[in-house]
Amino acid sequence: MSSSEYDTPFTRSTKRPRRTKSETQSQSVNDNEEDRLSVLPDCVLLHVLSFVNARHAVQTCILSRRWRNLWKLLPTLILHSSHFWTFKAFTKFVSALLTRRDASSAVLNLDFERLGCIEPHVLKRIVNYAISHKVRNLGISVKCDIAHIPPAIFSCKTLTSLKLSVSPRGNIYACTLFPNSLNLTALTSLHLQHFTFCASGGDSAEPFSACERLSDLVIDQCTVRDAKALCISNSTLVNLTVRSDHLKDFYKIVLSTSKLKSFRFSGIPYQQICGSDVLSIEDVDIDAEIWSNSLESPLILFSWLLELANVKSLTVSASTLQVLFLIPNLLKVKLPCLGKLKSLKVKMKPLSPIFAMALKSGRSKKEVTKLSMPLPDGIVNFLLQNSPSAEVAIVNCKS
């Protein structure tokens, strides 16, 4: 079988090899047995197929007549180029899938991922097809210019969940300029990766204020340009997640989010967090590390604790406590916060190689030995000084 036949089920030959007598007899016995899977209604079978990638879903057409055209009704399409040997085979498959699919059937969920650069016309066709078929949950991960992203994405009225990762060609650390505002009135969940937010007026960028139903926001490896602050202004936002690893870009995140209850962070703390609505946050999970021996990130991390004064549930990784412990004479500080803490969870896991090297850089053997302890001595009691009755759980994690 050639690679193209392997990658593209639509082109596979329908001819089957001649069966032996024993195989025919065995098939006859099997035909008399009940096919419990095939007798299930379409909605159940389509739900099962929604958990597999589109290539494998299409291949079920050879199982029996019952399955022959079922894939044409799939409401969920998972299209990843990693499931194919070549991008040419992937493009050919996508084209055939969209052409032969039942045009009257909605595409409620689309997950599209292309490793490497993508041809603009391919991306345009996929996005426009999804939008014209009432897509609700859309995930796109590609390398291209923002100009190649169909603008209809940012005004789609049916979208309730959008996960968008767009990296410029040729630079894994660069970010793509994000539109100044969105017009996604039905959107409740938004995940953005590798974007740069620009000032829409004044010194701050404010891209989320028009999302009237947004409840979950993930900002992953994003930064700001021509602005001193990213203003997250949204009256419906409940959960905020920030991830930041390689972008050493110090800016403020100003929260104007009266319903915000949960804050999650992983990576290197470069961003200051402020705003009157920080006090509404009750659930915090921080997994921080550093890649240098500078005190800037430890001090920013400490400032978060001061701002998050009304936290009731705090989850931190061992590396987060190591970062805090880098602050000189930290344990002598009297905390003015964490007085409402009811639960403290510490996740124990190995330090990343880069963080481990940063801890050793420029320090004496005595200091390195002290910092090499899995959990800095006295750090837990430091966090509990205003909530001594809070429940404490130390959990071992592999990664």
Side-chain angles (χ1 to χ4, degrees), residues 263-322:
F263 174 67
R264 302 280 184 274
F265 177 85
S266 64
I268 303 174
Y270 291 131
Q271 308 84 0
Q272 294 180 349
I273 299 176
C274 58
S276 59
D277 290 323
V278 174
L279 298 176
S280 68
I281 300 176
E282 298 179 350
D283 182 20
V284 173
D285 189 327
I286 302 176
D287 181 12
E289 65 175 18
I290 57 174
W291 290 3
S292 70
N293 57 6
S294 170
L295 282 178
E296 290 172 311
S297 289
L299 290 174
I300 287 177
L301 180 59
F302 182 70
S303 73
W304 292 0
L305 296 181
L306 300 180
E307 292 287 345
L308 301 167
N310 293 330
V311 172
K312 295 181 179 179
S313 174
L314 176 61
T315 300
V316 292
S317 63
S319 61
T320 301
L321 300 181
Q322 292 275 19

Side-chain angles (χ1 to χ4, degrees), residues 44-63:
V44 175
L45 297 180
L46 290 172
H47 179 70
V48 172
L49 290 178
S50 69
F51 293 96
V52 301
N53 64 72
R55 174 172 167 263
H56 289 159
V58 170
Q59 287 176 335
T60 61
C61 68
I62 67 173
L63 294 178

Side-chain angles (χ1 to χ4, degrees), residues 322 325-326 359-360 362-373:
Q322 292 275 19
F325 201 66
L326 292 175
L359 288 178
K360 297 177 181 179
R363 293 186 172 87
S364 65
K365 290 185 178 180
K366 183 178 180 180
E367 290 176 319
V368 170
T369 301
K370 191 175 182 179
L371 290 171
S372 297
M373 296 175 62

Side-chain angles (χ1 to χ4, degrees), residues 143-178:
K143 286 186 178 182
C144 68
D145 297 325
I146 189 63
H148 297 151
I149 300 292
I153 284 184
F154 304 111
S155 60
C156 180
K157 302 303 180 183
T158 61
L159 266 184
T160 59
S161 175
L162 174 61
K163 183 175 182 180
L164 197 56
S165 175
V166 181
S167 302
R169 298 168 181 259
N171 189 345
I172 62 174
Y173 294 116
C175 290
T176 302
L177 293 180
F178 193 74

Side-chain angles (χ1 to χ4, degrees), residues 37-305:
L37 185 60
S38 294
V39 297
L40 294 173
D42 285 0
C43 61
V44 175
L45 297 180
L46 290 172
H47 179 70
V48 172
L49 290 178
S50 69
F51 293 96
V52 301
N53 64 72
R55 174 172 167 263
H56 289 159
V58 170
Q59 287 176 335
T60 61
C61 68
I62 67 173
L63 294 178
S64 68
R65 290 183 179 179
R66 173 74 175 85
W67 293 80
R68 183 171 298 172
N69 295 310
L70 196 61
W71 65 268
K72 297 179 180 180
L73 305 174
L74 278 173
T76 297
L77 298 179
I78 302 175
L79 298 167
H80 291 184
S81 62
S82 58
H83 298 150
F84 297 79
W85 287 110
T86 65
F87 182 57
K88 182 179 179 180
F90 174 61
T91 304
K92 186 176 181 180
F93 173 85
V94 170
S95 177
L97 174 69
L98 300 185
T99 300
R100 302 187 186 191
R101 190 178 175 277
D102 186 343
S104 65
S105 181
V107 178
L108 301 181
N109 313 290
L110 173 62
D111 181 3
F112 180 83
E113 180 181 285
R114 160 63 175 143
L115 300 178
C117 298
I118 185 172
E119 297 176 15
H121 71 90
V122 176
L123 179 61
K124 182 178 180 180
R125 183 182 181 189
I126 291 169
V127 171
N128 288 338
Y129 184 92
I131 292 176
S132 65
H133 286 73
K134 303 177 181 180
V135 64
R136 294 179 185 174
N137 304 297
L138 179 61
I140 297 179
S141 179
V142 292
K143 286 186 178 182
C144 68
D145 297 325
I146 189 63
H148 297 151
I149 300 292
I153 284 184
F154 304 111
S155 60
C156 180
K157 302 303 180 183
T158 61
L159 266 184
T160 59
S161 175
L162 174 61
K163 183 175 182 180
L164 197 56
S165 175
V166 181
S167 302
R169 298 168 181 259
N171 189 345
I172 62 174
Y173 294 116
C175 290
T176 302
L177 293 180
F178 193 74
N180 288 337
S181 63
L182 302 175
N183 186 24
L184 299 170
T185 55
L187 196 71
T188 60
S189 177
L190 178 61
H191 185 150
L192 300 174
Q193 186 177 45
H194 302 307
F195 279 100
T196 294
F197 305 109
C198 297
S200 54
D203 294 330
S204 65
E206 189 176 345
F208 311 115
S209 57
C211 299
E212 301 172 352
R213 300 183 181 180
L214 188 65
S215 62
D216 298 279
L217 175 62
V218 179
I219 301 174
D220 192 352
Q221 315 297 344
C222 295
T223 186
V224 297
R225 178 184 294 181
D226 302 326
K228 297 179 181 179
L230 171 63
C231 183
I232 301 177
S233 178
N234 191 283
S235 60
T236 60
L237 189 66
V238 177
N239 304 304
L240 173 63
T241 299
V242 178
R243 297 174 185 148
S244 176
D245 285 337
H246 56 77
L247 295 172
K248 189 174 182 179
D249 188 8
F250 295 91
Y251 63 92
K252 289 183 179 180
I253 296 179
V254 181
L255 298 178
S256 180
T257 49
S258 57
K259 294 185 179 180
L260 187 63
K261 297 298 180 184
S262 173
F263 174 67
R264 302 280 184 274
F265 177 85
S266 64
I268 303 174
Y270 291 131
Q271 308 84 0
Q272 294 180 349
I273 299 176
C274 58
S276 59
D277 290 323
V278 174
L279 298 176
S280 68
I281 300 176
E282 298 179 350
D283 182 20
V284 173
D285 189 327
I286 302 176
D287 181 12
E289 65 175 18
I290 57 174
W291 290 3
S292 70
N293 57 6
S294 170
L295 282 178
E296 290 172 311
S297 289
L299 290 174
I300 287 177
L301 180 59
F302 182 70
S303 73
W304 292 0
L305 296 181

